[in-house]
Amino acid sequence: MAFFDFFKKNKKTSEPEQTSPLAEELEAEEAETEDEEEEEEEQPEAEAPVYDDTEDIEEVLPVEYDSENGVEPEEEEEDREPVEETAEEGEEAEEAEEAPDTEAEPPKEEKQGFFAKIKSGLLKTRNNIMSGIEQVLNGFSEIDDDLYDELEEALIMADIGVDTSCEIIDRVRKLVKEEKVKEVREVKDLIVRVITDMLAQGDEPLELESPSVLLVIGVNGVGKTTTIGKLTSYYKGEGKSVMLAAADTFRAAAIDQLMVWGERSNTTVIKHSENSDPAAVVFDAVAAAKNRNTDILICDTAGRLHNKKNLMNELAKIARVISREYENAHKEVFLVLDATTGQNALQQAKLFKEAADITGIILTKLDGTAKGGIIIAIKNELQIPIRFIGVGEGIDDLRPFNAEEFAKALFES
């Protein structure tokens, strides 16, 4: 027992001596292993690019990266240069655009005026007339009857009308004989001269006395109310006082349309309710114009056809009211015609002339048609003065007709 007790005692006392170094050694190895693992785990965090020095950052990041601005410097320079060049080019372009405009404006204003507007507005008509004449003349080498026949046909096709075209060619024949013209190209100048003489025949400027009454008539759609608005602007520009009578009580919104024109030009409009008696409107307008000493009273009327007897009778009634109530006033009856209708405009003028005492014609929409040659036929066949022509939509695009100026604009290339 003592032996075993001794052995056990020695074993207990010797075990710590034997295991302790090994444990320590194992613990040391485990500690070293853990330290290495911790170092490996901590190493990426320690090597993360948290730098205060800019040079270190530029070494880690791409060379083209600008650490201060956060952009790539080469791309920034490439972006900036074209912007600066574009701005400079834009400024130069603007200066280049402004310079010619500024220089061109004064002569443009001198050159333009109404003559330039007429010339521009008659471009289609001029091409329609002159292209046909040129085409005929190019096909002949001598002046003969066939040439005259071809020219007559070309004028008819240009909406100058049969009777007027025949008369033009007859006059040209006489001039060729009188002046002994031999060259085909000279016939063109003779045609231009004859047409100019036709337009200038009986061309006297209209001078309205005060007081005056203008009765504006025509078929539907020719632009009577718009023409009245432009006439108002023109006469007010001449320093005259104007009053309007809304005697078109038949067409829907006709009164409202005239009211709008009155507001634009600050002009008084005398009106009744829709479908009221037009003669009653004119009666009240005459009384108002007399009381206010108005220079010009312009009366709008409903669109009517010559074959509508009741409407023509209504027109006659309005005329009687004006004559009875305003005896000392100067009276004009203006027929408004749409130039785009060509020969129809001529027929309208003929038939209205039979039913009413027309003293002047206003030809509108000359700028939008190639049928402006109808003005030559109207002037020659009806012997009614052309008082105004419209060559645009602007309020100032309605002007008194000047035959010499019109002919020059029509044939001058």
Side-chain angles (χ1 to χ4, degrees):
M1 295 292 294
F3 175 78
F4 288 107
D5 292 335
F6 176 77
F7 180 79
K8 290 178 180 178
K9 183 177 179 181
N10 289 340
K11 187 177 179 181
K12 289 178 182 178
T13 55
S14 63
E15 282 178 357
E17 292 178 359
Q18 292 176 354
T19 57
S20 186
L22 290 173
E24 290 178 357
E25 193 173 334
L26 290 173
E27 288 178 0
E29 289 179 359
E30 289 178 358
E32 289 177 2
T33 304
E34 289 178 358
D35 291 339
E36 289 177 359
E37 289 177 355
E38 287 178 0
E39 288 178 4
E40 288 178 359
E41 292 176 357
E42 292 176 358
Q43 185 172 359
E45 295 178 1
E47 292 179 357
V50 180
Y51 298 94
D52 293 331
D53 192 354
T54 305
E55 294 180 357
D56 294 337
I57 295 174
E58 290 178 347
E59 290 178 0
V60 175
L61 297 175
V63 178
E64 295 180 353
Y65 186 87
D66 187 346
S67 60
E68 295 180 357
N69 299 327
V71 293
E72 297 179 2
E74 291 184 3
E75 292 181 3
E76 182 185 11
E77 291 176 2
E78 291 177 0
D79 291 340
R80 283 182 183 176
E81 287 178 359
V83 170
E84 292 175 357
E85 290 176 4
T86 305
E88 292 176 358
E89 290 175 1
E91 290 176 359
E92 292 176 0
E94 288 178 1
E95 292 176 1
E97 289 177 2
E98 290 175 358
D101 288 345
T102 307
E103 294 175 359
E105 274 178 7
K108 193 175 182 181
E109 289 177 358
E110 291 177 3
K111 201 173 174 184
Q112 276 219 353
F114 195 63
F115 174 76
K117 289 182 180 179
I118 294 176
K119 187 175 179 181
S120 175
L122 293 176
L123 178 62
K124 294 180 181 179
T125 297
R126 179 167 59 252
N127 292 340
N128 190 29
I129 295 174
M130 301 312 295
S131 62
I133 293 174
E134 289 283 353
Q135 187 175 357
V136 171
L137 294 178
N138 290 335
F140 287 85
S141 58
E142 60 180 6
I143 301 173
D144 54 17
D145 290 339
D146 290 337
L147 172 63
Y148 292 131
D149 291 341
E150 293 285 341
L151 287 173
E152 186 177 295
E153 184 178 347
L155 294 175
I156 293 172
M157 295 298 293
D159 276 282
I160 294 178
V162 176
D163 295 339
T164 302
S165 297
C166 292
E167 185 174 343
I168 291 171
I169 297 303
D170 288 342
R171 292 190 189 185
V172 170
R173 284 176 184 266
K174 291 178 182 179
L175 289 173
V176 168
K177 291 179 181 179
E178 291 173 1
E179 300 180 9
K180 297 179 181 179
V181 176
K182 301 297 182 183
E183 295 294 330
V184 173
R185 304 303 304 177
E186 295 181 24
V187 175
K188 175 183 174 181
D189 296 332
L190 297 179
I191 293 174
V192 172
R193 194 200 307 176
V194 169
I195 292 176
T196 303
D197 291 341
M198 282 185 172
L199 290 172
Q201 186 177 358
D203 182 33
E204 297 179 359
L206 175 64
E207 295 182 2
L208 290 181
E209 303 171 359
S210 181
S212 293
V213 179
L214 306 184
L215 189 61
V216 182
I217 64 174
V219 300
N220 288 317
V222 295
K224 291 188 304 300
T225 306
T226 301
T227 298
I228 288 172
K230 294 179 180 181
L231 281 174
T232 302
S233 176
Y234 170 76
Y235 282 120
K236 293 197 79 170
E238 295 289 315
K240 297 183 180 294
S241 58
V242 181
M243 182 180 292
L244 303 178
D248 183 359
T249 60
F250 179 75
R251 181 171 65 89
I255 298 173
D256 295 335
Q257 185 181 0
L258 193 65
M259 289 291 295
V260 170
W261 279 107
E263 290 173 1
R264 288 180 183 177
S265 56
N266 193 25
T267 304
T268 302
V269 177
I270 306 300
K271 64 186 181 81
H272 286 189
S273 60
E274 192 173 328
N275 295 321
S276 59
D277 185 4
V281 178
V282 173
F283 179 88
D284 289 346
V286 167
K290 289 167 68 176
N291 292 335
R292 303 181 191 183
N293 294 321
T294 303
D295 294 326
I296 301 173
L297 172 63
I298 305 177
C299 302
D300 189 14
T301 62
R304 67 201 70 230
L305 296 173
H306 62 280
N307 56 0
K308 297 294 183 181
K309 188 174 180 180
N310 59 330
L311 292 177
M312 297 309 292
N313 290 338
E314 180 184 273
L315 191 61
K317 182 180 178 182
I318 292 173
R320 288 196 303 271
V321 168
I322 295 172
S323 299
R324 184 181 69 243
E325 300 298 327
Y326 217 172
E327 293 181 1
N328 64 329
H330 175 76
K331 303 167 187 67
E332 293 282 345
V333 179
F334 287 167
L335 174 63
V336 181
L337 297 174
D338 183 351
T340 62
T341 59
Q343 290 298 309
N344 286 336
L346 178 60
Q347 295 304 316
Q348 289 172 22
K350 287 180 178 179
L351 296 169
F352 267 96
K353 186 181 179 182
E354 296 174 0
D357 184 18
I358 301 172
T359 61
I361 287 176
I362 300 176
L363 197 61
T364 64
K365 307 178 187 179
L366 275 169
D367 59 313
T369 181
K371 300 178 179 180
I374 194 62
I375 194 172
I376 304 168
I378 292 172
K379 185 75 184 293
N380 181 62
E381 295 182 30
L382 301 181
Q383 297 299 314
I384 300 176
I386 308 293
R387 293 305 188 190
F388 289 87
I389 56 173
V391 290
E393 296 180 356
I395 195 168
D396 296 325
D397 291 337
L398 183 75
R399 291 287 175 176
F401 175 74
N402 183 296
E404 184 178 352
E405 192 177 61
F406 183 88
K408 184 180 178 182
L410 183 60
F411 297 112
E412 188 179 84
S413 58

